[in-house]
Amino acid sequence: MADTALPLEAGAEKANRPGLLQRIFINNLPAKIAALPMMATVLVVFVGCTIWTIYYSFTNSKLLPTGKLVGFDQYERLFATSRWNVSVWNLVAYGAMSLVFTLVIGFILAVLIDQKIRFESAFRTIMLYPFALSFIVTGLVWQWIMNPTLGLQGTLRGLGWTGFTFDWIANPRMVLFALLIAGLWHGTGFCMVLMLAGLRGVDEEVWKAARIDGIPTWRTYVSIVIPMMRGVLVTAVVIIGSGIVRLYDLVVALTNGGPGISSEVPAKYVFNYMFSGGNIGQGLAGATMMLLTVLIIMIPWAYLEFGGKGRRT
């Protein structure tokens, strides 16, 4: 009797289990109704505009969008343009340096803050404050500092140090480093907060066990703590990487792409061709390539965060 009761109970439990349609449409119905405006916004603004961008990048649109398809002509013209190639190289060089230095400096600052220092809240606020500013404000501040006439160079020369030179925003070979300094000042604090949250999530027993085993502190961070922070590190890389691809306002405020085109970036190329150059098709071709780059960054992250977890469970 007990053996026959078990299948009957399992069958009754399965029958009472809500179906797939009920779980999708009926459960939490008020929350789903409240989310309808946001879902409509996502579909219309993000998905719709993405499809629109990709479609018209294959047309010969100039001042206004047209429906005449020209295949991959806009993309061939895009990669044959030296200005686009320079902007891509600038973004790759700036992005590589920015990603590495932001992660390293952010992690070091997080480790220092995690030592239970006095006035920790004040230090966190000070380091995070630049992130609260817009890139336009950041660019203008550092433009004043790096201005060869009115900034740090002019001030120190006026004080008698006539040999001092700090004209990076006017030097084609150093302008990317000027952008890097401003970008690091703006974003390192946010990376520090992410890393600090990851460090605070490490169980205290891990540190006790490492001290008992006589493992050096640096080895504990490298071999134990950092692997445990994989999720935080991946999230930081995705946020920083997507921000690098969209780099625009900092460049406009600090250098405006100069000297010449030595600090040109893809987002500025797209904006100039769409709104100043009167060539929508060419601008949208560049925007589509930027979208592809963001997808290359986002898809592995989404797989690691969602697909990989589903497989492991």
Side-chain angles (χ1 to χ4, degrees), residues 92-114:
V92 171
Y94 171 86
M97 293 186 294
S98 178
L99 184 63
V100 171
F101 282 113
T102 301
L103 290 174
V104 171
I105 297 174
F107 182 78
I108 293 174
L109 290 176
V111 170
L112 295 176
I113 292 291
D114 193 42

Side-chain angles (χ1 to χ4, degrees), residues 7-309:
L8 290 175
E9 291 176 2
E13 182 181 352
K14 186 175 182 180
N16 294 328
R17 191 178 302 166
L20 178 61
L21 294 178
Q22 181 179 347
R23 293 199 302 269
I24 294 176
F25 296 105
I26 305 301
N27 292 353
N28 298 323
L29 185 60
K32 291 182 172 64
I33 294 175
L36 283 177
M38 182 56 66
M39 294 169 62
T41 301
V42 170
L43 288 175
V44 174
V45 177
F46 293 99
V47 179
C49 290
T50 298
I51 295 173
W52 186 89
T53 297
I54 295 173
Y55 174 80
Y56 280 101
S57 69
F58 291 98
T59 67
N60 63 346
S61 302
K62 295 297 183 182
L63 288 174
L64 295 173
T66 62
K68 185 177 180 181
L69 296 173
V70 293
F72 288 92
D73 287 358
Q74 295 288 6
Y75 293 92
E76 293 176 0
R77 191 176 301 115
L78 181 70
F79 286 100
T81 304
S82 60
R83 184 178 176 185
W84 170 260
N85 293 326
V86 169
S87 68
V88 170
W89 166 249
N90 287 341
L91 188 67
V92 171
Y94 171 86
M97 293 186 294
S98 178
L99 184 63
V100 171
F101 282 113
T102 301
L103 290 174
V104 171
I105 297 174
F107 182 78
I108 293 174
L109 290 176
V111 170
L112 295 176
I113 292 291
D114 193 42
Q115 306 306 310
K116 307 298 187 296
I117 62 174
R118 296 180 62 185
F119 308 112
E120 175 186 329
S121 298
F123 282 115
R124 281 205 316 262
T125 302
I126 292 171
M127 293 177 185
L128 190 59
Y129 176 75
F131 188 75
L133 304 175
S134 69
F135 268 122
I136 293 293
V137 175
T138 298
L140 289 176
V141 168
W142 282 97
Q143 185 192 61
W144 295 334
I145 295 174
M146 298 183 183
N147 188 298
T149 305
L150 305 174
L152 187 61
Q153 174 178 299
T155 301
L156 291 179
R157 286 186 177 184
L159 294 174
W161 195 355
T162 57
F164 181 80
T165 301
F166 189 56
D167 58 349
W168 287 9
I169 61 173
N171 187 338
R173 291 181 295 180
M174 300 299 295
V175 67
L176 286 182
F177 297 101
L179 285 172
L180 179 64
I181 291 174
L184 290 176
W185 182 79
H186 181 91
T188 302
F190 178 71
C191 183
M192 178 207 71
V193 171
L194 291 177
M195 298 295 180
L196 184 60
L199 289 173
R200 294 285 164 87
V202 177
D203 194 343
E204 188 65 27
E205 297 298 324
V206 173
W207 293 104
K208 292 180 180 178
R211 284 194 291 268
I212 292 173
D213 293 339
I215 302 175
T217 302
W218 68 269
R219 185 67 178 272
T220 304
Y221 278 109
V222 172
S223 302
I224 301 174
V225 175
I226 291 180
M228 294 178 66
M229 293 174 57
R230 185 181 69 89
V232 174
L233 291 172
V234 172
T235 301
V237 168
V238 169
I239 294 174
I240 297 169
S242 60
I244 289 170
V245 174
R246 295 181 287 104
L247 180 68
Y248 171 76
D249 34 9
L250 178 63
V251 174
V252 171
L254 184 57
T255 65
N256 199 27
I261 59 172
S262 55
S263 61
E264 189 80 2
V265 289
K268 187 173 182 296
Y269 178 95
V270 170
F271 185 89
N272 288 345
Y273 266 83
M274 288 188 64
F275 298 102
S276 302
N279 194 336
I280 292 179
Q282 181 70 185
L284 292 180
T288 302
M289 297 308 301
M290 292 177 61
L291 173 64
L292 181 62
T293 305
V294 172
L295 290 177
I296 291 173
I297 297 173
M298 294 294 293
I299 290 175
W301 171 79
Y303 175 78
L304 290 173
E305 286 295 310
F306 303 107
K309 289 181 179 179

